[in-house]
Amino acid sequence: MVPTPAPAAWGPSLLRRAELAYEGAVSDPGSYSSRTRLLIEECRRAGDHEAHVVALHALGWIEHLLVGNHAARQRLDVAVRLAQRHGIHHRLPELLASRAAVNQELGRMTAAHADLDRALTWAARYGAAEDAGTWSRIAHQQAVLRHNQGDLAQAQQLYRTLLDRPGCPASVHAKAGNNLGHLLAMCGHAEEGLGFVDAALAEAQALGAGLAAAVAQTRAWVLMQLGRLPESMHAFEDAEKRFAEAGLPTADFSLEYADALVDLRLVREAAEVTQRAVGDLERLGAPLVSAEARLRRARLSMLAGEPAQALAQIDTAVAALRRQRRPTWVAGALVTRAELVMELDAATGEDLRTIRRAARTLERWQMTSAVEAHLVAGRLAVRLDRGSVARQSWARAHDLARTRPVLVRLRGQLAAASAAELDGAPREVLRHARRGLDDLARHRAALPSMELRALASGHGEELGVLGLRALVPSAPPAQVLTWLERTRAAAMVLVDPPPAPELQQDLATLRGLEMDLREARRTAARESQELLARVRTLEGRIRRAAWSSLSPTAAGSARLPDVGALRAGLDGAALVEFAVLDGTLLAVVMGPRRTRMVRLGSYRDVAVEREALRFSVRRLGRGGSAARASLRSAMFVVDRLRELLIRPLGVAPDAPVVVVPARGLHGVPWSALHDAPVSVAPSAAVWLRTRAEARLPLGAGLAGDGRSAVGDVVLVAGPDLPGALAEVTRLRETHRAARGPGGARVMLPPASTVPAVIEALSSARLAHLACHGYLRTDNPTFSSFQLSDGPLTVQELAASHRLVHRVVLAACRSGAQVTYAGEEVLGFVSAFLARGTAGMVASTVPVPDGESVPLMTALHERIAAGDTLAVALSAARARLGTSARDFADRPVDFMAWFAYTAYGAA
């Protein structure tokens, strides 16, 4: 296919120049806009009516592609009137077909149909119907109109006819292939669709930047439907660059990108992208896509936990979509509305009838979204005590999902498991839940970052709950434990690939910007909005680069831990794995000889005490006159948590314990709740892996003599912390006394830089970091330690080749984790453990600078003597006091006593 000539090649004829302008407008509108405006004026002055009509057609199409549809409609109206007035009737078919496309974008579907009917009439009257180019352009607009209104079968037939027709213009052929690929992916045939889109992209790249950008966008979306997520995110990046280079608006691109972000469970990011797109579309005047954008915004409001706001938004979207006569879009919107009325506890029988009709509509038009519609219909039916209707809806959802992409199949398994629970068939519940979670595991394994894998586990949260609910009444506790492990910390089984060189450069630039931002805060005592915006932009780029990087590699076995191997690894210690089911807190306790399940009561009681402790600790950290009252309150809450979480378990007071918290319990000060050594892990499987890496009996030393090789202890102090300098200096003396003059490598400011510390962490057996720590709950991959040249982020740690064998993080909230649906956590602890660290000590609360020195000194003395971190921490805490009441006059020591927790087995 021959490329469109560049503007420089235009000849002297006004008509030919106008025709070339139209051909260029179709494939690369950004390059032809200003020259076409000049050409219109030239045609008007010359009195060349046909050239004037064609040039107006070209500019109208350019404005349409640049989402200026109101201006495009006016321009094409003028062109149609001129053609009729001056008898240029052979130009009318294509003019009317173009105006039909503009009317579609304006949501004027009746006018679009009328324009296409008139286009066919004029084509027949003046012989244009015999012209392959004219017929193809009209047929393509008919297909697009059918596509937008949900008549996918008719649209598909027209697209295939266009692709097979000899003489179809290159630009129409490429667009038909692109649209057919998109349609097939919508109907669950993404593999076939990708073949059409790839062929269309090859054609489009020879025609112009604008058309190639649009096809590249479709390709990214289809890859997402296939579950090829790293490729998809990379393709979206490529499409975004193409849009920028072509000078095209990105609102439509942003909506499909937001769909991809929702599939990745990046809801906040998707909402930001969608909100910008809604604003752009309403400003530009594109009612067709604006209605779609408002529907997406309503769904995102629902996912963000704002049902009342979402309901108002969805009603607005439904009204607009109905005016546009788009039944499949209306049906999809009604599914969301049904979810909202359920959440607001306002569902009625009429809502059930409505969503069942919507589900049938989506199924009739072969939409993949029919699966979700039937799933939601079943849930609403159960709410209304219509069990037979629920079973029918869920059975249909399961059947329709069988051959669909992985996330849709997962929803089908959820429907089948829900039906089995309704029928009182726990074995069937487990069968479907296992299949769904197995599918999810394969999906998760393709994701290139720990963040995405942690988020993806949320897709299986409901299946995990259904399985647990089926097991708890009668299954052996060991089987319950195995099920819990299926839904715990699965993101840590795989390790992220090392960052690409350009990403390393971006991370270094980010450190520089953070240092500039800190300096601006210090000197101006306020936030620099310009610097902050640059930091957030760069963070976004770094995250997106991680989303589209290479596939991860295994950090250990993905198989569930064998109960016998787990008990042998515990070596006499007790494992306690917590879970929350329907508001009740449960614990599975594995002892040396048997495994038990204990019901601990309401989770809400624990949550109330946990929040009370956070409040007391914040007041305690401020010191002053309120410190003693805060200390008494904190001591009371610690005792209360011990009563709620530990004493009912029946574990001997002197027995070491390994704790696997449930979501919401990761911030509990576990070491303060039990008198013997306590080790915490995100899952039993992760703990067992650290046990294998440690290769030690619990409580034994690192080697036969309990000592590490000289020089493999690293002590790091961060900037602006006098107490950290004193702490590291004291610990150097501790290791020198235990191991001789070369007992430890010390890294002080300004030498304690990020590259130097990462290098040291990759080879050391033991490291101690005393520095500021910052938890980013909005974006945990950018939680950081402050080193001499800027922040060391979780993002960088997660991309390191291998980290230190054991580490003590004497930084504020270094043990705090951001939790995700599906029992996943993300923070420093997960980053270190996933990268080969076998043992950690970290703080879950802020500790004032320098106030941990007595505890840390005692801790390192026991480490140097050969203890595991859990044993060493227990001994160090005992030196400060044996219970909360020992600190009545020492609030600062109490902070250090209860703040630190050991993680892993080493």
Side-chain angles (χ1 to χ4, degrees), residues 7-8 10 17 21 31-40:
W10 289 358
R17 287 164 62 191
S31 300
Y32 286 79
S33 178
S34 58
R35 191 179 182 101
T36 304
R37 292 177 189 276
L38 295 173
L39 181 60
I40 287 172

Side-chain angles (χ1 to χ4, degrees), residues 585-893:
L585 187 62
L586 310 171
V588 178
V589 183
M590 174 179 281
R593 286 177 295 278
R594 67 190 186 101
T595 303
R596 300 173 288 114
M597 188 167 65
V598 181
R599 296 176 185 268
L600 296 169
S602 171
Y603 168 74
R604 186 177 181 279
D605 293 343
V606 176
V608 167
E609 299 299 341
R610 182 197 62 204
E611 293 307 309
L613 183 61
R614 286 177 181 171
F615 176 75
S616 298
V617 167
R618 282 196 298 269
R619 293 183 63 201
L620 189 58
R622 299 190 191 110
S625 58
R628 289 185 182 276
S630 299
L631 176 60
R632 287 193 297 272
S633 175
M635 289 190 298
F636 173 82
V637 175
V638 167
D639 286 344
R640 177 71 177 141
L641 286 170
R642 183 186 290 242
E643 293 291 331
L644 290 171
L645 293 171
I646 299 297
R647 285 191 179 147
L649 302 177
V651 175
D654 59 348
V657 172
V658 176
V659 173
V660 178
R663 186 182 178 192
L665 299 181
H666 287 273
V668 169
W670 293 103
S671 293
L673 305 188
H674 186 60
D675 296 333
V678 176
S679 175
V680 177
S683 71
V686 169
W687 184 88
L688 193 59
R689 193 175 76 210
T690 65
R691 184 78 176 83
E693 288 162 350
R695 297 186 178 87
L696 304 168
L698 202 65
L702 287 175
D705 61 355
R707 298 170 184 266
S708 303
V710 174
D712 62 5
V713 175
V714 176
L715 307 173
V716 179
D720 306 324
L721 287 173
L725 295 175
E727 182 173 301
V728 165
T729 301
R730 179 75 174 273
L731 296 179
R732 175 172 54 188
E733 296 306 314
T734 298
H735 284 280
R736 182 176 293 170
R739 304 168 56 184
R745 176 185 176 187
V746 175
M747 305 177 73
L748 304 178
S752 54
T753 63
V754 170
V757 170
I758 286 182
E759 182 182 3
L761 291 177
S762 68
S763 58
R765 292 284 290 173
L766 172 67
H768 180 101
L769 276 68
C771 49
H772 280 302
Y774 301 97
L775 177 69
R776 285 276 299 275
T777 55
D778 66 313
N779 194 341
T781 60
F782 289 100
S783 296
S784 62
F785 298 130
Q786 188 65 38
L787 297 178
S788 296
D789 62 338
L792 168 59
T793 64
V794 168
Q795 186 89 33
E796 287 182 272
L797 288 171
S800 301
H801 176 64
R802 188 168 179 85
L803 293 175
V804 60
H805 182 67
R806 300 198 294 178
V807 63
V808 178
L809 302 179
C812 291
R813 303 196 69 192
S814 54
Q817 303 258 67
V818 176
T819 59
Y820 295 91
E823 296 293 350
E824 296 284 358
V825 291
L826 194 58
F828 288 113
V829 172
S830 55
F832 272 99
L833 294 181
R835 280 296 182 182
T837 296
M840 299 177 64
V841 169
S843 166
T844 55
V845 299
V847 180
D849 179 37
E851 302 298 347
S852 297
V853 174
L855 179 78
M856 290 300 158
T857 302
L859 175 69
H860 277 265
E861 288 175 356
R862 298 306 309 164
I863 293 172
D867 286 343
T868 65
L869 293 182
V871 172
L873 180 61
S874 181
R877 292 176 62 255
R879 190 178 298 183
L880 295 183
T882 57
S883 72
R885 303 199 178 281
D886 292 338
F887 300 94
D889 298 316
R890 295 182 292 146
V892 171
D893 285 345

Side-chain angles (χ1 to χ4, degrees), residues 105-188:
E105 292 296 330
L106 292 171
R108 301 174 60 177
M109 298 305 188
T110 301
H113 278 288
D115 275 341
L116 288 173
D117 290 343
R118 290 181 63 200
L120 289 171
T121 300
W122 282 107
R125 185 177 302 174
Y126 289 94
E130 304 302 319
D131 178 73
T134 299
W135 180 89
S136 296
R137 292 186 180 96
I138 296 172
H140 180 255
Q141 289 307 324
Q142 288 179 313
V144 171
L145 182 56
R146 298 290 188 188
H147 194 158
N148 282 328
Q149 290 194 294
D151 188 352
L152 302 187
Q154 185 64 33
Q156 182 179 164
Q157 182 179 335
L158 284 167
Y159 288 138
R160 291 185 185 275
T161 301
L162 280 166
L163 292 173
D164 292 339
R165 184 178 178 91
C168 178
S171 60
V172 176
H173 196 272
K175 287 189 282 188
N178 175 74
N179 293 352
L180 177 58
H182 188 279
L183 183 155
L184 289 168
M186 286 175 64
C187 295

Side-chain angles (χ1 to χ4, degrees), residues 15 18 22 40 43 48-60 75-76 78-86 88 91-92 95:
L15 179 58
Y22 175 73
I40 287 172
C43 293
D48 190 329
H49 300 306
E50 185 170 3
H52 193 187
V53 165
V54 175
L56 285 168
H57 188 185
L59 186 57
R75 199 84 59 189
L76 292 170
V78 172
V80 168
R81 287 197 296 271
L82 277 175
Q84 290 173 326
R85 183 185 309 153
H86 296 288
I88 313 170
R91 296 287 180 181
L92 283 171
L95 272 173

Side-chain angles (χ1 to χ4, degrees), residues 463-485:
L463 284 172
V465 170
L466 284 170
L468 184 60
R469 195 182 289 139
L471 287 166
V472 163
S474 58
Q479 192 176 347
V480 176
L481 176 62
T482 301
W483 184 262
L484 291 177
E485 283 296 299

